[in-house]
Coordinates of all heavy atoms in Angstrom, one line a residue:
Chain B
A206 N -3.0 -16.7 -15.3 CA -3.2 -15.3 -15.9 C -3.6 -14.4 -14.6 O -4.2 -14.9 -13.7 CB -4.5 -15.4 -16.8
G210 N -5.8 -9.5 -16.7 CA -5.6 -10.2 -18.0 C -6.8 -11.1 -18.2 O -7.5 -11.1 -19.3
V214 N -9.8 -10.8 -21.3 CA -10.1 -12.0 -22.2 C -11.6 -12.4 -22.0 O -12.3 -12.6 -23.0 CB -9.2 -13.2 -21.9 CG1 -9.6 -14.3 -22.8 CG2 -7.8 -12.7 -22.1
F236 N -30.9 -13.9 -46.0 CA -31.3 -15.1 -46.8 C -32.8 -15.1 -46.9 O -33.4 -15.4 -48.0 CB -30.8 -16.3 -46.2 CG -29.4 -16.6 -46.6 CD1 -28.3 -16.7 -45.6 CD2 -29.0 -16.9 -47.9 CE1 -27.0 -17.1 -45.9 CE2 -27.6 -17.1 -48.3 CZ -26.7 -17.2 -47.2
P282 N -19.3 -4.8 -42.4 CA -20.6 -4.0 -42.6 C -20.6 -2.9 -43.6 O -21.6 -2.9 -44.3 CB -20.7 -3.3 -41.1 CG -19.9 -4.2 -40.2 CD -18.8 -4.7 -41.1
F312 N -9.6 -2.4 -25.4 CA -8.5 -3.3 -25.3 C -7.2 -2.8 -25.9 O -6.2 -3.4 -25.6 CB -8.9 -4.6 -26.1 CG -10.1 -5.3 -25.5 CD1 -11.2 -5.4 -26.3 CD2 -10.0 -5.8 -24.3 CE1 -12.4 -6.0 -25.8 CE2 -11.1 -6.5 -23.7 CZ -12.3 -6.5 -24.5
K314 N -4.2 0.3 -27.2 CA -3.7 1.6 -26.8 C -4.4 2.7 -27.4 O -5.0 2.5 -28.5 CB -2.3 1.7 -27.1 CG -1.3 0.8 -26.2 CD 0.1 1.0 -26.7 CE 1.0 0.1 -25.8 NZ 2.2 -0.1 -26.4
E336 N -23.3 5.7 -51.9 CA -24.8 5.7 -52.1 C -25.1 6.8 -53.2 O -26.1 6.5 -54.0 CB -25.4 6.1 -50.8 CG -27.0 6.0 -50.8 CD -27.6 6.2 -49.4 OE1 -26.8 6.5 -48.5 OE2 -28.7 5.8 -49.3
Q350 N -39.4 -3.5 -44.9 CA -38.1 -4.3 -44.8 C -37.0 -3.5 -44.2 O -36.3 -3.9 -43.3 CB -37.7 -5.0 -46.0 CG -38.7 -6.1 -46.3 CD -38.3 -6.7 -47.8 OE1 -37.9 -5.9 -48.7 NE2 -38.6 -7.9 -48.0
I352 N -37.2 -0.7 -42.4 CA -37.4 -0.3 -41.1 C -37.1 -1.5 -40.1 O -36.4 -1.4 -39.1 CB -38.9 0.2 -40.8 CG1 -39.0 1.5 -41.5 CG2 -39.2 0.2 -39.4 CD1 -40.5 2.0 -41.7
K385 N -10.5 -6.3 -2.2 CA -10.7 -5.7 -1.0 C -10.4 -6.8 0.1 O -9.7 -6.5 1.1 CB -12.2 -5.2 -0.9 CG -12.3 -4.4 0.4 CD -13.8 -4.0 0.5 CE -14.0 -3.3 1.9 NZ -13.5 -3.9 3.1
V392 N -3.4 -6.2 5.1 CA -3.3 -5.1 6.1 C -3.4 -5.8 7.5 O -2.6 -5.4 8.4 CB -4.5 -4.2 6.0 CG1 -4.6 -3.2 7.2 CG2 -4.3 -3.3 4.7
I445 N 24.3 1.6 26.1 CA 24.5 1.5 24.6 C 23.1 2.1 24.0 O 22.1 1.6 24.3 CB 24.6 0.1 24.1 CG1 25.7 -0.6 24.9 CG2 24.9 0.1 22.6 CD1 27.2 -0.1 24.7
I503 N 24.1 -7.8 -3.6 CA 23.7 -7.1 -2.4 C 23.3 -5.7 -2.5 O 23.9 -5.0 -3.3 CB 24.8 -7.3 -1.3 CG1 24.2 -7.2 0.1 CG2 25.9 -6.3 -1.5 CD1 24.9 -7.9 1.2
E518 N 32.9 7.4 34.0 CA 33.9 8.2 33.5 C 33.4 9.4 32.7 O 34.2 10.2 32.3 CB 34.9 7.4 32.7 CG 35.7 6.4 33.4 CD 36.8 5.8 32.6 OE1 37.2 6.3 31.6 OE2 37.2 4.7 33.0
K538 N 27.9 20.4 17.9 CA 29.0 19.7 17.3 C 28.4 18.5 16.5 O 27.5 17.9 17.0 CB 30.0 19.2 18.3 CG 30.6 20.3 19.2 CD 31.5 19.7 20.3 CE 32.1 20.8 21.1 NZ 31.1 21.4 22.0
N585 N 8.0 23.4 -1.0 CA 8.0 22.0 -1.2 C 9.4 21.5 -1.3 O 9.7 20.8 -2.3 CB 7.1 21.6 -2.3 CG 6.8 20.1 -2.3 OD1 7.0 19.5 -1.2 ND2 6.5 19.5 -3.4
K586 N 10.3 21.9 -0.4 CA 11.7 21.4 -0.4 C 12.0 20.5 0.7 O 11.2 20.2 1.6 CB 12.6 22.7 -0.2 CG 12.8 23.5 -1.4 CD 13.8 24.6 -1.1 CE 14.3 25.4 -2.3 NZ 15.2 26.4 -2.0
S590 N 19.5 19.1 6.6 CA 20.2 18.9 7.8 C 20.5 20.3 8.4 O 20.6 20.4 9.6 CB 21.4 18.1 7.6 OG 22.1 18.6 6.4

Side-chain angles (χ1 to χ4, degrees):
Chain B
V214 176
F236 275 119
F312 300 112
K314 286 180 182 164
E336 188 171 11
Q350 286 172 329
I352 290 166
K385 193 183 172 307
V392 169
I445 313 294
I503 202 149
E518 292 189 18
K538 298 174 182 80
N585 195 22
K586 282 185 170 178
S590 46

